[in-house]
Amino acid sequence: MKAAAAALVFLAALALYISTLHPAFPVDDSPETVSSAVNLGVQHAPGYPLDTLTGKLAQALPVGGPYFRVILFSAAAGAASASAVALLTARLFPAPAGIMAGALAGLMLAGTDAFWDCSLSGKGGIYQWNLLLTLLALLSFMAGKPLAGALFTGLGMANHWMSMVAW
Protein backbone atom coordinates (compact mmCIF):
# COMPACT_ATOMS: atom_id res chain seq x y z
CA MET A 1 0.00 0.00 0.00
CA LYS A 2 2.83 2.42 0.89
CA ALA A 3 4.65 1.61 -2.33
CA ALA A 4 1.49 2.11 -4.40
CA ALA A 5 0.85 5.52 -2.82
CA ALA A 6 4.48 6.53 -3.39
CA ALA A 7 4.29 5.36 -7.02
CA LEU A 8 1.16 7.44 -7.58
CA VAL A 9 2.89 10.50 -6.10
CA PHE A 10 5.86 9.91 -8.42
CA LEU A 11 3.66 9.56 -11.51
CA ALA A 12 1.51 12.59 -10.65
CA ALA A 13 4.54 14.79 -9.97
CA LEU A 14 6.38 13.61 -13.08
CA ALA A 15 3.31 14.25 -15.24
CA LEU A 16 3.03 17.75 -13.77
CA TYR A 17 6.69 18.50 -14.40
CA ILE A 18 6.81 17.10 -17.92
CA SER A 19 3.74 19.10 -18.90
CA THR A 20 5.38 22.33 -17.69
CA LEU A 21 9.05 21.89 -18.69
CA HIS A 22 10.84 25.10 -19.69
CA PRO A 23 10.92 25.56 -23.47
CA ALA A 24 14.26 27.38 -23.12
CA PHE A 25 16.95 27.86 -20.52
CA PRO A 26 15.72 29.50 -17.32
CA VAL A 27 17.72 32.36 -15.86
CA ASP A 28 20.14 30.31 -13.75
CA ASP A 29 23.19 28.12 -14.25
CA SER A 30 21.30 25.55 -16.35
CA PRO A 31 23.29 26.18 -19.57
CA GLU A 32 26.52 25.53 -17.67
CA THR A 33 25.00 22.45 -16.01
CA VAL A 34 23.84 20.98 -19.31
CA SER A 35 27.09 21.81 -21.09
CA SER A 36 29.18 20.12 -18.41
CA ALA A 37 26.93 17.04 -18.55
CA VAL A 38 27.14 16.75 -22.33
CA ASN A 39 30.92 17.28 -22.42
CA LEU A 40 31.77 15.74 -19.01
CA GLY A 41 33.22 19.11 -18.07
CA VAL A 42 33.50 20.76 -14.68
CA GLN A 43 30.94 23.29 -13.53
CA HIS A 44 31.97 26.15 -11.28
CA ALA A 45 33.18 25.05 -7.87
CA PRO A 46 32.45 22.59 -6.37
CA GLY A 47 31.77 20.93 -9.70
CA TYR A 48 28.78 18.66 -8.84
CA PRO A 49 30.32 15.41 -10.15
CA LEU A 50 27.30 13.16 -9.54
CA ASP A 51 24.95 15.55 -11.29
CA THR A 52 27.36 15.81 -14.23
CA LEU A 53 27.51 12.02 -14.54
CA THR A 54 23.73 11.58 -14.32
CA GLY A 55 23.36 14.34 -16.91
CA LYS A 56 25.74 12.43 -19.17
CA LEU A 57 23.69 9.29 -18.57
CA ALA A 58 20.59 11.25 -19.57
CA GLN A 59 22.16 11.87 -22.98
CA ALA A 60 21.47 8.19 -23.79
CA LEU A 61 17.71 8.84 -23.73
CA PRO A 62 16.25 8.69 -27.23
CA VAL A 63 14.08 11.81 -26.81
CA GLY A 64 14.66 15.53 -27.32
CA GLY A 65 17.91 17.41 -27.33
CA PRO A 66 20.64 17.63 -24.69
CA TYR A 67 18.84 20.29 -22.63
CA PHE A 68 15.55 18.37 -22.60
CA ARG A 69 17.29 15.16 -21.54
CA VAL A 70 19.03 16.80 -18.58
CA ILE A 71 15.89 18.56 -17.33
CA LEU A 72 13.94 15.33 -17.77
CA PHE A 73 16.34 13.79 -15.24
CA SER A 74 15.80 16.83 -12.98
CA ALA A 75 12.04 16.30 -13.23
CA ALA A 76 12.44 12.60 -12.42
CA ALA A 77 14.63 13.44 -9.40
CA GLY A 78 12.03 15.93 -8.18
CA ALA A 79 9.22 13.42 -8.61
CA ALA A 80 11.27 10.73 -6.88
CA SER A 81 11.99 13.11 -3.99
CA ALA A 82 8.27 13.81 -3.56
CA SER A 83 7.67 10.06 -3.61
CA ALA A 84 10.40 9.53 -0.99
CA VAL A 85 8.71 12.12 1.25
CA ALA A 86 5.51 10.09 0.93
CA LEU A 87 7.38 6.92 1.93
CA LEU A 88 9.15 8.60 4.85
CA THR A 89 5.89 10.02 6.20
CA ALA A 90 4.15 6.67 5.82
CA ARG A 91 7.03 4.98 7.67
CA LEU A 92 6.83 7.50 10.51
CA PHE A 93 3.02 7.15 10.74
CA PRO A 94 2.26 3.54 9.69
CA ALA A 95 -1.54 3.68 10.05
CA PRO A 96 -3.65 3.99 6.88
CA ALA A 97 -4.06 7.68 7.69
CA GLY A 98 -0.26 7.97 7.66
CA ILE A 99 -0.11 6.56 4.15
CA MET A 100 -2.70 9.10 3.01
CA ALA A 101 -0.86 11.88 4.87
CA GLY A 102 2.39 10.78 3.20
CA ALA A 103 0.86 10.90 -0.25
CA LEU A 104 -0.59 14.32 0.49
CA ALA A 105 2.76 15.56 1.85
CA GLY A 106 4.57 14.34 -1.26
CA LEU A 107 2.05 15.97 -3.59
CA MET A 108 2.12 19.22 -1.64
CA LEU A 109 5.91 19.32 -1.79
CA ALA A 110 5.85 18.58 -5.53
CA GLY A 111 3.50 21.51 -6.10
CA THR A 112 5.36 24.18 -4.13
CA ASP A 113 6.82 26.97 -6.25
CA ALA A 114 10.48 26.54 -5.33
CA PHE A 115 10.43 22.74 -5.56
CA TRP A 116 8.53 22.78 -8.86
CA ASP A 117 10.94 25.35 -10.31
CA CYS A 118 13.98 23.27 -9.31
CA SER A 119 12.42 20.23 -10.97
CA LEU A 120 12.22 22.14 -14.25
CA SER A 121 15.84 23.22 -14.68
CA GLY A 122 19.21 21.63 -15.11
CA LYS A 123 20.70 23.56 -12.20
CA GLY A 124 17.72 22.77 -9.98
CA GLY A 125 18.26 19.08 -10.56
CA ILE A 126 21.38 19.30 -8.39
CA TYR A 127 19.19 20.16 -5.42
CA GLN A 128 16.56 17.57 -6.31
CA TRP A 129 19.22 14.84 -6.43
CA ASN A 130 20.60 16.11 -3.14
CA LEU A 131 17.22 15.87 -1.43
CA LEU A 132 16.49 12.47 -2.96
CA LEU A 133 19.80 10.98 -1.82
CA THR A 134 19.35 12.40 1.69
CA LEU A 135 15.83 10.95 1.91
CA LEU A 136 16.99 7.58 0.58
CA ALA A 137 19.77 7.54 3.19
CA LEU A 138 17.24 8.29 5.95
CA LEU A 139 14.87 5.60 4.70
CA SER A 140 17.73 3.09 4.49
CA PHE A 141 18.96 3.81 8.00
CA MET A 142 15.39 3.59 9.34
CA ALA A 143 14.95 0.22 7.62
CA GLY A 144 18.08 -1.12 9.32
CA LYS A 145 20.19 -1.07 6.16
CA PRO A 146 23.28 0.91 7.18
CA LEU A 147 25.32 0.00 4.10
CA ALA A 148 22.65 1.36 1.77
CA GLY A 149 22.32 4.41 3.99
CA ALA A 150 26.08 4.97 3.85
CA LEU A 151 26.05 4.58 0.06
CA PHE A 152 23.31 7.19 -0.36
CA THR A 153 25.05 9.50 2.10
CA GLY A 154 28.31 9.23 0.15
CA LEU A 155 26.56 9.82 -3.15
CA GLY A 156 24.83 12.84 -1.66
CA MET A 157 28.17 14.24 -0.55
CA ALA A 158 29.54 13.67 -4.05
CA ASN A 159 26.56 15.54 -5.44
CA HIS A 160 26.59 18.73 -3.35
CA TRP A 161 28.43 20.00 -0.30
CA MET A 162 25.13 20.79 1.46
CA SER A 163 24.72 17.06 2.11
CA MET A 164 27.58 17.32 4.58
CA VAL A 165 25.76 20.14 6.34
CA ALA A 166 22.58 18.03 6.51
CA TRP A 167 24.40 15.13 8.15
Side-chain angles (χ1 to χ4, degrees):
M1 184 71 168
K2 291 178 199 175
L8 287 174
V9 168
F10 175 82
L11 292 173
L14 189 61
L16 173 70
Y17 298 151
I18 289 174
S19 68
T20 59
L21 286 176
H22 290 292
F25 287 116
V27 182
D28 63 8
D29 292 339
S30 289
E32 179 185 20
T33 304
V34 173
S35 176
S36 68
V38 170
N39 300 308
L40 284 180
V42 177
Q43 298 179 50
H44 62 277
Y48 315 113
L50 185 65
D51 186 68
T52 298
L53 292 174
T54 56
K56 184 66 172 179
L57 180 64
Q59 299 310 305
L61 294 173
V63 295
Y67 172 72
F68 179 79
R69 294 172 187 163
V70 169
I71 61 170
L72 192 58
F73 258 47
S74 295
S81 294
S83 179
V85 165
L87 283 174
L88 182 62
T89 306
R91 180 171 287 277
L92 291 171
F93 305 99
I99 295 170
M100 184 63 75
L104 185 59
L107 290 172
M108 288 177 68
L109 175 65
T112 61
D113 286 343
F115 195 84
W116 191 345
D117 190 50
C118 281
S119 296
L120 301 181
S121 75
K123 177 66 174 186
I126 293 167
Y127 310 116
Q128 301 307 51
W129 281 113
N130 205 51
L131 176 61
L132 177 60
L133 292 167
T134 301
L135 290 168
L136 290 173
L138 281 171
L139 286 165
S140 297
F141 287 130
M142 289 172 69
K145 298 179 180 178
L147 289 178
L151 173 67
F152 291 126
T153 300
L155 288 172
M157 289 181 186
N159 183 56
H160 194 281
W161 64 271
M162 285 301 290
S163 290
M164 290 182 273
V165 172
W167 288 111

